[in-house]
Amino acid sequence: MMFGQYQNLLKDPDRWQRMHWMLDRERFIDHLDDVRMVRNHIMHFGARPLDNSQKNRLTKFLDMMRHLNP
């Protein structure tokens, strides 16, 4: 699946509830969109290194994922 497909699936409140994640759904989807944009930058314009803003977005998402309670 692609990031956009994950976003569309998780926009559905019923699907989101089945995940049992103690996170705000809209905030998570926003973070996922940030990751999608960084991913596209890497895949399509990979010659340029990530800037600090992109690194911070990835770090925030990773930290959020590490704290999920299944």
Side-chain angles (χ1 to χ4, degrees), residues 11-51:
K11 283 181 182 177
D12 178 354
D14 292 330
R15 283 194 183 109
W16 179 258
Q17 282 199 305
R18 285 187 248 159
M19 301 296 287
H20 301 285
W21 288 348
M22 303 307 291
L23 297 171
D24 180 75
R25 179 174 48 94
E26 289 181 23
R27 185 172 177 218
F28 180 86
I29 291 169
D30 287 344
H31 282 293
L32 192 58
D33 195 50
D34 286 341
V35 172
R36 179 190 62 79
M37 288 188 289
V38 173
R39 180 257 177 221
N40 287 347
H41 170 83
I42 293 168
M43 295 305 291
H44 300 289
F45 310 103
R48 295 187 309 229
L50 297 179
D51 62 31

